[in-house]
Amino acid sequence: MRIVAMRFGLFTSILLSVASSTFAFPAQTQTPLLQHANNNDTSISVKLFNELEELARIVDISYCVGTAGLGIQKPFQCVSRCVEFENFELVTTWNTGPLLSDSCGYIALSHPPSPPRIILAFRGTYSLANTIVDLSTIPQEYVPYPGDGDDEDDPTPSPPVSSSLPPFNPSDGDTPPAHPPKCTNCTVHTGFYTSWLHTRQEILVHLTEAIDKYPSYTLTLVGHSLGGAVAALAGLDLLARGWDPHVTTFGEPRVGNKPLMAYIDARFHTNHTASSKFHRITHANDPVPLLPPSEWGYSMHSTEFFISAPELPPSVSDIHRCVGDEDSACIAGNGDQNPAWGIPARFKLWQLFFAHRDYFWRLGLCVPGGDPKDWYRKYPGSGEGRGDGEVNEL
């Protein structure tokens, strides 16, 4: 399975490079999706729909970080969607490097009249080969506290992967230590955990300063793909420090085993959707939320919202609240067991180019307006294209 995954990862990485160069031309300006009526019992409210749609555009901007010759500049400027957020102020960006430590993103302040927020946006990875290979790594014990030097009074041993990291010593000494409850029998994906540990070294000082300066702002974490996994682990860490993170992930892979998922559910009260501060968004045919596979001991956590319509853009009625950790009416039941290309069809890895990127908009390229023409979709109310709000098909 690992050999197949590595080979397919290389294949998809090559295809992504071709697709990126082929379609990298200016796009028509995108506008926020129109509101739609809420017309079934499992659909979300229009208010939540609009919040999730906006977060999809916010996380799409993170793909400008680490892009050669591009990036995000202060006050909040980039070649992608930054112009859509005129009340945002960039705090910092980070880029920890390739392979297991691969993590990119930015911290921004959303000032009134926009909802007051401190935003951490975690980018997915450009390297699909690395992503697939990383999904094959064995799990390690999950230690839900720092353990790498940022709390000198904590005698807890370091988690195995953090031994290579430098001690974390915030310059102002004010970053609160983490003292969460123990996570019994919990294991976590080593690559995802490493990404967060490296990211934490980069952002905690900036985050602490922002929270001290704007204590009334909502701490908002959002991530796509690999960034969704890192955002989930970041949420646990920041919650342990006494902060109040609100986490939204798009196409989040499985991060750990069932005990760790139960721990996330308990910490974020995910079994109570009305009060939960963790939203996990999945999309029909997206293979990534099904990886790593359950056969390897991985599982999902609750508060899933499933986009059932394969085409874009979705309406409110296309987004469904799911029940429990692995609702068979949602992404967990979205596929069969018949093999294709030597890989179970439920994984549908060719959908890394489509369904995995299709979260309200097609995410993943730092170009004006997002992904060029979004390949095949319509933009209601854009006032451009063929005169009826539709973008020309490629």
Side-chain angles (χ1 to χ4, degrees):
M1 179 67 182
R2 178 181 175 87
I3 294 174
V4 173
M6 291 177 67
R7 289 177 177 173
F8 194 85
L10 180 58
F11 174 69
T12 53
S13 183
I14 293 171
L15 284 180
L16 181 62
S17 298
V18 173
S20 298
S21 60
T22 302
F23 297 109
F25 49 79
Q28 300 193 33
T29 302
Q30 297 175 0
T31 58
L33 298 179
L34 293 181
Q35 299 180 2
H36 299 269
N38 187 357
N39 59 10
N40 72 45
D41 291 338
T42 62
S43 290
I44 64 175
S45 67
V46 170
K47 179 177 183 293
L48 181 55
F49 177 91
N50 291 336
E51 290 173 355
L52 296 177
E53 184 272 323
E54 182 190 52
L55 287 169
R57 288 183 283 128
I58 288 173
V59 79
D60 194 27
I61 293 172
S62 68
Y63 281 89
C64 290
V65 180
T67 304
L70 300 176
I72 310 174
Q73 293 82 37
K74 293 184 177 181
F76 194 71
Q77 299 175 335
C78 63
V79 300
S80 183
R81 305 177 185 271
C82 292
V83 68
E84 299 171 19
F85 300 96
E86 60 182 12
N87 298 310
F88 277 29
E89 175 189 351
L90 179 65
V91 174
T92 191
T93 63
W94 75 85
N95 184 356
T96 64
L99 302 178
L100 287 179
S101 63
D102 183 16
S103 177
C104 292
Y106 67 88
I107 302 176
L109 302 172
S110 170
H111 296 296
S114 297
R117 292 167 291 182
I118 299 170
I119 294 173
L120 277 73
F122 298 83
R123 198 198 79 183
T125 178
Y126 280 118
S127 176
L128 292 182
N130 287 342
T131 299
I132 301 302
V133 172
D134 287 354
L135 289 173
S136 304
T137 61
I138 60 173
Q140 68 165 77
E141 179 185 3
Y142 175 71
V143 183
Y145 29 74
D148 64 340
D150 47 340
D151 184 2
E152 295 179 357
D153 296 328
D154 187 352
T156 306
S158 301
V161 73
S162 67
S163 59
S164 62
L165 300 178
F168 177 75
N169 296 303
S171 59
D172 58 6
D174 292 332
T175 300
H179 295 291
K182 184 178 180 181
C183 190
T184 304
N185 297 324
C186 295
T187 60
V188 63
H189 183 283
T190 299
F192 300 156
Y193 195 35
T194 306
S195 291
W196 166 237
L197 293 178
H198 281 82
T199 301
R200 191 175 65 191
Q201 303 289 325
E202 300 286 337
I203 69 172
L204 274 184
V205 171
H206 301 285
L207 188 58
T208 301
E209 292 175 352
I211 291 174
D212 287 345
K213 189 173 182 180
Y214 299 98
S216 64
Y217 281 32
T218 301
L219 180 55
T220 303
L221 280 60
V222 59
H224 172 243
S225 190
L226 170 66
V230 179
L233 296 172
L236 285 175
D237 194 322
L238 303 184
L239 182 65
R241 297 173 186 276
W243 291 330
D244 186 25
H246 294 225
V247 184
T248 300
T249 65
F250 299 94
E252 174 193 334
R254 290 166 167 158
V255 177
N257 66 352
K258 284 186 179 295
L260 179 58
M261 298 304 100
Y263 187 79
I264 291 177
D265 290 343
R267 295 291 283 154
F268 282 96
H269 307 289
T270 59
N271 291 321
H272 306 281
T273 56
S275 60
S276 176
K277 297 176 181 178
F278 200 129
H279 295 150
R280 180 171 65 90
I281 319 303
T282 62
H283 183 233
N285 298 322
D286 184 356
V288 173
L290 300 172
L291 294 169
S294 57
E295 292 89 339
W296 299 354
Y298 287 86
S299 187
M300 304 179 193
H301 60 81
S302 293
T303 321
E304 176 186 359
F305 293 87
F306 178 60
I307 305 175
S308 60
E311 68 277 358
L312 295 174
S315 67
V316 172
S317 61
D318 294 324
I319 305 178
H320 308 276
R321 295 179 183 270
C322 306
V323 178
D325 289 354
E326 301 200 14
D327 189 338
S328 61
C330 297
I331 194 66
N334 193 224
D336 55 45
Q337 302 296 319
N338 298 323
W341 299 358
I343 301 171
R346 70 182 187 275
F347 297 146
K348 300 179 180 177
L349 295 181
W350 54 91
Q351 287 285 3
L352 288 166
F353 298 117
F354 300 98
H356 181 51
R357 296 174 56 201
D358 288 355
Y359 286 91
F360 295 91
W361 308 95
R362 179 154 287 175
L363 311 179
L365 288 178
C366 179
V367 295
D371 200 343
K373 293 190 179 179
D374 276 43
W375 293 19
Y376 61 77
R377 63 199 286 174
K378 300 176 182 179
Y379 295 93
S382 67
E384 300 186 15
R386 293 192 292 236
D388 56 1
E390 181 174 346
V391 174
N392 295 323
E393 296 180 0
L394 295 177

